[in-house]
Amino acid sequence: ETGVTQTPRHLVMGMTNKKSLKCEQHLGHNAMYWYKQSAKKPLELMFVYNFKEQTENNSVPSRFSPECPNSSHLFLHLHTLQPEDSALYLCASSQGQGGATEAFFGQGTRLTVV
Amino acid sequence: GDSVTQMEGPVTLSEEAFLTINCTYTATGYPSLFWYVQYPGEGLQLLLKATKADDKGSNKGFEATYRKETTSFHLEKGSVQVSDSAVYFCALSYSGGGADGLTFGKGTHLIIQP
């Protein structure tokens, strides 16, 4: 148990569906992140939120829409995805700028787009 | 931009063998360096870290030294166990993972045979 919980663990969706991934951290951290893990590629940082404000968007397509209503919760809203978006989506949190160095990861959501 | 390069594997060793996983980086500044480990079906866990040149990170028998002159952070363990089988990721961050996110290598799949 790392203190970062992601739901669902597995998700299969069609290209016309709309779904959301949820991440919750119980560590009192102020920064939260979404990463994409695809086979044979490095983990890709998608979005960064620090004190609920989005501070980084690494050229992610608009079919991925993040939401951070408070420092403990992070969502990734998905719509009209493509099969190449199938991957493991990892959420992480850390204390935030000026804080400690360690990032804690959730177990991930395995997404399959059909 | 910044990048991390590591041997991809799979690396297959016998139990009690000596382990080295190479990691080199390119960076415009002076980042903190990390090794993360991912066991099957789980998210990433921080294994060890080093925040400045010549620092040595260590944990669970694993060690890595921050070498600025060779821009390297090689992971070593004197005697591996079957339970060390996992995927190992080298990563860097300027805020120490504080709020800027991590840049990862592609990961090295380690297989330890009894």
Side-chain angles (χ1 to χ4, degrees), chain A residues 2 9 31 33 35 37 40-43 45 48 50 55-56 88 90 94-97 99-103 105-107, chain B residues 4 8 32 34 36 38 41-46 49 51 87 89 95-107:
Chain A
T2 65
R9 292 293 307 278
Y33 314 81
Y35 288 88
Q37 185 176 24
K40 306 296 184 184
K41 294 175 66 176
L43 276 83
L45 178 64
V48 179
N50 197 25
T55 57
E56 190 160 343
L88 181 68
L90 291 165
S94 67
Q95 284 193 355
Q97 201 152 14
T101 59
E102 183 172 352
F105 284 80
Q107 292 181 299
Chain B
V4 175
E8 292 185 35
S32 296
F34 305 81
Y36 278 82
Q38 186 176 32
E42 299 185 14
L44 277 70
Q45 302 173 29
L46 179 67
K49 66 185 181 187
T51 57
V87 181
F89 294 90
S95 64
D100 292 340
L102 294 147
T103 299
F104 284 93
K106 290 186 178 181

Side-chain angles (χ1 to χ4, degrees), chain A:
Chain A
E1 176 60 50
T2 65
V4 180
T5 304
Q6 290 187 242
T7 55
R9 292 293 307 278
H10 302 273
L11 177 63
V12 178
M13 61 185 289
M15 289 188 284
T16 58
N17 291 159
K18 290 184 180 181
K19 296 288 184 182
S20 296
L21 310 185
K22 179 182 176 182
C23 176
E24 183 174 1
Q25 58 95 1
H26 311 278
L27 301 169
H29 289 164
N30 294 306
M32 297 187 77
Y33 314 81
W34 280 116
Y35 288 88
K36 177 182 179 182
Q37 185 176 24
S38 305
K40 306 296 184 184
K41 294 175 66 176
L43 276 83
E44 303 169 58
L45 178 64
M46 301 174 70
F47 301 104
V48 179
Y49 278 82
N50 197 25
F51 291 92
K52 300 188 297 179
E53 298 297 320
Q54 184 175 314
T55 57
E56 190 160 343
N57 174 341
N58 274 350
S59 303
V60 181
S62 60
R63 57 186 184 269
F64 295 90
S65 175
E67 179 189 2
C68 188
N70 55 62
S71 293
S72 299
H73 294 86
L74 184 66
F75 295 90
L76 187 63
H77 304 300
L78 315 171
H79 65 97
T80 60
L81 294 191
Q82 303 299 311
E84 60 264 29
D85 297 321
S86 299
L88 181 68
Y89 289 84
L90 291 165
C91 173
S93 72
S94 67
Q95 284 193 355
Q97 201 152 14
T101 59
E102 183 172 352
F104 292 79
F105 284 80
Q107 292 181 299
T109 295
R110 174 67 63 183
L111 174 67
T112 303
V113 181
V114 297

Side-chain angles (χ1 to χ4, degrees), chain B residues 2-81:
Chain B
D2 301 335
S3 66
V4 175
T5 302
Q6 59 180 110
M7 50 199 300
E8 292 185 35
V11 173
T12 303
L13 297 172
S14 298
E15 203 166 21
E16 299 183 1
F18 184 86
L19 169 70
T20 299
I21 300 178
N22 291 335
C23 171
T24 57
Y25 66 91
T26 58
T28 53
Y30 301 98
S32 296
L33 301 175
F34 305 81
W35 278 101
Y36 278 82
V37 58
Q38 186 176 32
Y39 298 102
E42 299 185 14
L44 277 70
Q45 302 173 29
L46 179 67
L47 181 59
L48 53 84
K49 66 185 181 187
T51 57
K52 61 183 186 297
D54 300 324
D55 270 2
K56 177 186 283 188
S58 61
N59 185 27
K60 299 181 181 179
F62 291 89
E63 293 183 339
T65 300
Y66 190 140
R67 301 286 188 198
K68 190 174 74 171
E69 63 276 14
T70 55
T71 62
S72 65
F73 192 54
H74 304 321
L75 182 68
E76 297 182 335
K77 186 174 185 182
S79 177
V80 292
Q81 306 300 313

